Amino acid sequence: MVTAAYVHIPFCEHICHYCDFNKVFLKNQPVDEYIEALLEEMRRTMKYTPASGLRTVYIGGGTPTALSAEQLNTLLKGMKEALPLYDVEEYTIEVNPDSIEEEKLEVLKANRINRLSIGVQTFNESLLKEIGRTHTKSSVEDAIRRSRQAGFTNISLDLMFGLPSQQPAHFTETIKEAINLDIEHISAYSLKVEEKTVFYNRQRQGKLTLPPEEDEVMMYQQLLHRTKEAGLIQYEISNFAKRGYESKHNLVYWNNEEYYGFGAGAHGYVNGVRHQNHGPIPKYLKAIEQGELPTFQTHQVSAIERIEEAMFMGLRKREGVNIAQFEKRYGQSLLNIFANEIDHLKQRGLVRSRDGAIQLTEEGLLLGNEVFEQFIAVLEDL
């Protein structure tokens, strides 16, 4: 049963140097047409693969708040008509600090959005310019103040580390600033230089200076230390929350559960099939105009792939992969099919058995990708 939906808004008022998500400059784009096509995709999807009721919805981008207040209202009201949103528990939208005006906050609140994810990345002014962000430290503080005044009680900040020229002291200060704002949730990810980004081009030209690996490790260790000291619970490798404010939507991904994906370039996972929509907006709009779903490609997930995904996604959670639940869901013993991998990782001190689950150790947190790789392409037959 699908209980989650991701909605993609591909428009941005500026393009950040690290971003490889499907996005375009807002100016001169067919925004109104896109919103109507997006709502039509939702209506068609509910006709073919209906949901009895969604529990979480996440609107990401791009920059959803690059839309005008009127456009946001059209989108959100249309979603209430197109999707079964009557039982939604967590309704998140991504916002940029310099594009969240009071009128937009009122629209979000009126349409039952109850969680804001604010893209901050860093509080260091020079680093903000280096990565192509246009907001400032004070605009983040203003955005949070306005959001609180509008009645939002669940706010998450996105942070990044391993940025060009970033030093451990820079990131430590950013963590302290975030904690001092007394928000409910922090997501912090290390920079990955992806193709088709400004940073990728600079790296190819030898013009990108990244911190050494040991500095990046120090930044992550400071993240663990400072958030724990502040009483935030680490419930996933990169995510920290006050108790009860863990992201329900992101847990859908980490629990390897199914979800709808709406919008240009969006990914979905429904009835055992993963799909990706057309990314270019003209192709997306054309598919809707022709009465089709805007699907670019599909992949039937095999039993082996589902099990591998359950391991490398589930191990991201601090609670790990529950052994009994795994067997109930997949009809296989986790301890049998991955006996060699688990034994090897235990000997290296990277995983442990605790509370009926296989979990990453503290050392395993630092080498997560290396651990996950152990569970990929090791099964031949089921």
Side-chain angles (χ1 to χ4, degrees), residues 323-334:
I323 297 169
Q325 290 178 2
F326 182 98
E327 184 168 357
K328 181 178 180 180
R329 183 173 182 183
Y330 300 106
Q332 302 283 333
S333 169
L334 180 161

Side-chain angles (χ1 to χ4, degrees), residues 160-180:
M160 295 182 72
F161 59 96
L163 297 171
S165 305
Q166 188 180 37
Q167 298 174 12
H170 294 151
F171 188 59
T172 298
E173 189 60 31
T174 281
I175 300 167
K176 290 166 63 178
E177 295 278 2
I179 289 171
N180 288 340

Side-chain angles (χ1 to χ4, degrees), residues 51-52 58 142 153 182 209 217 233 258 318-319 323 361 369:
S52 57
Y58 192 104
D142 287 344
T153 59
D182 194 30
T209 304
V217 170
I233 300 165
E258 296 189 344
R318 291 302 280 128
E319 67 180 24
I323 297 169
T361 62
N369 288 336

Side-chain angles (χ1 to χ4, degrees), residues 15 23 30 39 57 161 166 169 259 284 292 318 342 382:
I15 304 298
K23 78 283 183 186
L39 295 174
V57 177
F161 59 96
Q166 188 180 37
Y259 58 94
Y284 176 85
E292 305 168 356
R318 291 302 280 128
I342 292 171
L382 282 180

Side-chain angles (χ1 to χ4, degrees), residues 34-46 82 284 288-289 291-293:
Y34 179 81
I35 292 173
E36 182 48 47
L38 183 57
L39 295 174
E40 180 59 27
E41 181 194 358
M42 295 175 187
R43 289 189 285 266
R44 288 179 192 168
T45 300
M46 290 300 101
Y284 176 85
I288 296 295
E289 182 182 343
E292 305 168 356
L293 285 173

